[in-house]
Amino acid sequence: MVDDTCLTGLVLIAYLLAMMAVGAKAASRSGGLESFFLAGRGLRPALLTATLTATILGASSTLGMAGLGFSEGMTGAWWLISGTSGLLILSFFLAERVRAAGCYTLPELMGEEYDQRVRLAASALILVSWIGVVAAQIVASGKLLAVLFGPGQEVFMIASAAVFVAYTALGGQRSIVKTDALQLLILLAGLAVVSARAFSLVGPEILAEASFPTSAARGGTDVLGLVLVVGSTYLAGPDIYSRLLSAERPRTARLSALAAALLLLPLAFVITGLGIAARHLFPGIGPEEALPVLMAEILSPAGEGLVAAALLSALISSADTTLLTATSIFALDLYRARRPGAGEREMMGISRGGTVLIGGLALLSALRLPEITASLLSAYTVFAGGLIVPLLAGFWREQLRLTPEGALAALLGGGGAALLFGERWPLLGMVVSGVLLFSVSRLLPQSRRLIRG
């Protein structure tokens, strides 16, 4: 048993060292701010699709969704299906417009739509939400490693956080894109290995017997709520937009979003199916332990190491992107707003220091974090409640006669309603946001002249 554990540990150590090496090599080519945050706006379709897919396949889409499969059956797949639906809408209608805007961040795009006040409010809302998203990836990595190596979840969380914070601070987007491509390949290989073994033990008929698209655990109203909340975060997520803004041209952004959605759709059923298989084989475990226990109990040590590296890659590839997204907002939308004359060297120092600071705050939050999917859903609910409606409506602001005051009221009112009541009524924030956006815009028509930030 000691030898088996050592072999699994060696595979994971080799994986972490490889990520550091790839990230460091990419960092050596990093240039100024555009290179650090957007990889020089030069991502081609294959690389952009890979990094977009790897970003989405994080804690909620692996450990969390397998846990949903364990606890409620195939309807757990709606988590990633919801995200895929948002990504498809983004591809068909908005991806090219987002890239053509030429901005650095999503709040900057909202500043272009409305004004500087809206940009700052959006920055604060996203920054708070996305620290929680980074924290969820960290706690998931701790849970994964604790299943493999026993007690010490906090130590494992610190170790995994140190790896992705280090290479993100060094190379920014270039490091992330290169590591994401490798991590996606490892993840797909790992899922193939554990799926083949698990379904050979329980038989594929358990999937045919599962209730879908609704079940006793998740009715039609619950499915609709998930589609709107989770789907909207993929339709207008700042980490997704950071990828599209890094594309070499608008058409690349559209095609890559479409390709990523098509790749993710079958994975939703595969990962949820693994949770169902774990429930049949190990009914006494906790839901979010489904994938780690399945991996530890049915695979050889070498296979266990590969799948452990695959799952860890899923968590880290999402954590690094959300971390850099939060950092870009901190540096470009908040710090530079206070110091508009800051030079390139100063901004690079703030960006790297901000990466470490935000990573540290996320780690502290992770030490207190409860269940993965519940925490992520809470963060997504606040984000979607305040930001989705004014952002999307802003693409047609002139036709809809929207004002900056309306957008500001929508951000604050919708986000506040989601924060206070989102757990019970997850769609309330978006409803409040929409009502405030249009009503305040009509009540203050003299403000239709946009004040550019």
Side-chain angles (χ1 to χ4, degrees):
M1 183 65 175
V2 175
D3 291 340
D4 291 352
T5 303
C6 287
L7 180 56
T8 302
L10 288 173
V11 173
L12 285 176
I13 291 171
Y15 159 74
L16 292 173
L17 290 176
M19 291 303 102
M20 286 295 295
V22 171
K25 183 177 180 180
S28 66
R29 300 177 53 210
S30 184
L33 285 176
E34 188 171 75
S35 176
F36 187 82
F37 287 118
L38 298 176
R41 299 191 196 271
L43 295 189
R44 296 181 178 179
L47 197 54
L48 181 56
T49 300
T51 186
L52 193 56
T53 305
T55 295
I56 292 169
L57 287 172
S60 62
S61 301
T62 53
L63 302 189
M65 201 163 65
L68 290 175
F70 184 98
S71 59
E72 67 179 69
M74 191 54 74
T75 52
W78 275 110
W79 181 280
L80 192 52
I81 297 171
S82 299
T84 301
S85 66
L87 200 59
L88 286 171
I89 296 172
L90 177 63
S91 169
F92 288 126
F93 298 105
L94 295 176
E96 291 194 24
R97 298 184 69 163
V98 170
R99 174 59 184 88
C103 298
Y104 276 82
T105 66
L106 188 151
E108 183 185 355
L109 178 61
M110 294 198 71
E112 291 292 315
E113 291 179 341
Y114 299 105
D115 69 6
Q116 184 71 5
R117 296 168 300 168
V118 175
R119 178 180 181 178
L120 293 176
S123 300
L125 180 65
I126 295 171
L127 188 59
V128 171
S129 300
W130 252 238
I131 287 175
V133 175
V134 178
Q137 314 303 323
I138 296 173
V139 76
S141 66
K143 286 187 175 184
L144 169 65
L145 296 176
V147 169
L148 294 175
F149 303 111
Q153 179 172 321
E154 292 81 5
V155 175
F156 299 137
M157 290 162 61
I158 293 170
S160 60
V163 171
F164 72 80
V165 169
Y167 71 66
T168 302
L170 283 172
Q173 196 75 273
R174 288 194 184 277
S175 291
I176 289 173
V177 166
K178 295 295 185 182
T179 55
D180 276 1
L182 179 56
Q183 286 166 337
L184 179 62
L185 293 176
I186 296 172
L187 175 59
L188 293 177
L191 287 175
V193 169
V194 72
S195 297
R197 178 62 176 154
F199 294 136
S200 70
L201 291 174
V202 299
E205 60 273 8
I206 66 166
L207 303 184
E209 296 168 358
S211 178
F212 188 84
T214 60
S215 67
R218 190 177 296 274
T221 302
D222 297 324
V223 169
L224 178 61
L226 201 64
V227 169
L228 291 176
V229 172
V230 178
S232 63
T233 63
Y234 287 67
L235 175 59
D239 46 352
I240 305 294
Y241 278 38
S242 74
R243 289 293 179 269
L244 301 183
L245 292 168
S246 302
E248 61 178 353
R249 59 176 67 95
R251 185 170 182 271
T252 301
R254 177 173 62 84
L255 293 176
S256 295
L258 176 60
L262 295 177
L263 181 60
L264 289 165
L265 191 58
L267 291 177
F269 294 99
V270 171
I271 296 170
T272 308
L274 289 172
I276 297 173
R279 184 181 62 203
H280 278 69
L281 294 171
F282 311 104
I285 63 174
E288 290 183 349
E289 296 177 343
L291 264 184
V293 170
L294 202 62
M295 169 191 68
E297 297 295 332
I298 69 174
L299 297 177
S300 66
E304 181 183 345
L306 172 63
V307 176
L311 295 179
L312 193 58
S313 73
L315 308 179
I316 290 179
S317 63
S318 285
D320 56 19
T321 299
T322 50
L323 174 61
L324 187 66
T325 300
T327 300
S328 66
I329 292 170
F330 169 77
L332 302 177
D333 295 304
L334 296 178
Y335 182 83
R336 196 154 64 176
R338 298 293 302 271
R339 287 183 55 83
E344 183 100 344
R345 184 173 181 179
E346 179 181 348
M347 289 303 303
M348 286 300 299
I350 289 297
S351 299
R352 290 194 166 101
T355 302
V356 176
L357 173 63
I358 293 170
L361 290 174
L363 178 60
L364 291 176
S365 299
L367 297 175
R368 300 173 176 268
L369 205 65
E371 294 183 359
I372 299 166
T373 50
S375 301
L376 281 172
L377 188 58
S378 177
Y380 287 165
T381 300
V382 173
F383 166 79
L387 196 136
I388 295 300
V389 175
L391 171 65
L392 298 181
F395 285 105
W396 297 276
R397 63 185 182 276
E398 297 287 359
Q399 297 92 320
L400 296 173
R401 297 184 297 163
L402 303 178
T403 68
E405 284 76 12
L408 191 61
L411 276 165
L412 299 178
L419 180 64
L420 295 174
F421 307 109
E423 184 175 353
R424 185 172 182 182
W425 298 296
L427 303 181
L428 178 63
M430 284 190 278
V431 173
V432 171
S433 181
V435 170
L436 289 174
L437 175 64
F438 289 97
S439 61
V440 174
S441 293
R442 296 298 183 273
L443 290 171
L444 301 174
Q446 71 274 13
S447 299
R448 286 182 193 143
R449 181 178 61 83
L450 300 181
I451 305 170
R452 299 292 183 185

